Amino acid sequence: MPERETLMTGMDDVDAVTRAVLTASRLLVAVSARSLAAVEDRVTLPQFRMLVVLSMRGATKLVVLADLLQVAPSTAMRMVDRLIAAGLADRQVNPDNRRETLLRLTEEGRRTVVDVTDRRRTEIAAIVERLAPRQRDALVEALTAFSEAGGEPSVPVPDTLETHPLGWADTGHS
């Protein structure tokens, strides 16, 4: 019987942690939505993710962009067309292969990524500041372990955040 009690306690712990993570993810989604509010008339969350990938990688072929976002190339093309119409991205001929087109951010697209990321970072920092130092340490340890268990690499240190504004990994596709 002791093994069954241990198993039940372990399952209860998994359920409690799962509920806590779901609650925290609801908060983070709300923070994300609020950070996009200023640009929501021009950019959806999936489009913003595309902007972030372009900001991380620079000029990128459509097929690579679609792969990185895990969407069909036709979906990526529709997203790109909308971003181009909004003045946030543009196309350029690949100087190394004139038959290829590369997609890149415009200056306005770069500013949009920085502005949204700054708003998100400010709101998250305000929440974290309300935690006691001991709770912050525990949160860093728990979130690091959670991210590692999910295979997510760490967010770059602050001086490199401009290159990887939300910490989304560059999966090395080219």
Side-chain angles (χ1 to χ4, degrees):
M1 260 327 189
E3 287 178 350
R4 182 175 170 89
E5 287 173 8
T6 303
L7 180 61
M8 291 302 289
T9 303
M11 289 182 74
D12 289 345
D13 288 348
V14 168
D15 187 51
V17 171
T18 300
R19 283 193 321 271
V21 170
L22 286 170
T23 302
S25 71
R26 242 186 7 243
L27 171 62
L28 291 170
V29 167
V31 167
S32 294
R34 287 190 296 267
S35 70
L36 277 170
V39 296
E40 70 184 349
D41 59 322
R42 293 178 22 204
V43 181
T44 65
L45 183 56
Q47 290 168 345
F48 181 72
R49 185 163 181 244
M50 180 177 275
L51 291 175
V52 170
V53 170
L54 287 171
S55 77
M56 290 170 22
R57 295 189 54 85
T60 305
K61 294 188 295 186
L62 178 70
V63 67
V64 172
L65 191 56
D67 187 45
L68 290 169
L69 295 171
Q70 298 180 336
V71 298
S74 60
T75 300
M77 181 58 82
R78 284 189 299 276
M79 291 169 67
V80 165
D81 288 344
R82 289 181 188 119
L83 292 174
I84 289 170
L88 302 172
D90 65 14
R91 291 180 180 91
Q92 67 181 36
V93 174
N94 184 346
D96 298 328
N97 181 348
R98 303 214 28 95
R99 292 177 297 159
E100 290 180 346
T101 300
L102 298 175
L103 308 164
R104 64 183 181 147
L105 290 182
T106 62
E107 188 55 41
E108 187 175 354
R110 275 188 274 292
R111 270 194 315 275
T112 298
V113 170
V114 169
D115 291 348
V116 170
T117 302
D118 286 349
R119 281 193 297 279
R120 187 173 299 175
R121 176 175 285 286
T122 297
E123 190 168 347
I124 291 172
I127 294 166
V128 170
E129 285 175 353
R130 293 193 289 264
L131 298 173
R134 189 179 105 272
Q135 292 172 312
R136 292 178 197 163
D137 290 342
L139 185 60
V140 168
E141 185 177 336
L143 290 175
T144 300
F146 181 78
S147 297
E148 287 173 357
E152 186 68 25
S154 296
V155 171
V157 291
D159 64 340
T160 62
L161 283 175
E162 190 171 315
T163 307
H164 296 82
L166 297 181
W168 286 329
D170 179 350
T171 59
H173 294 81
S174 53

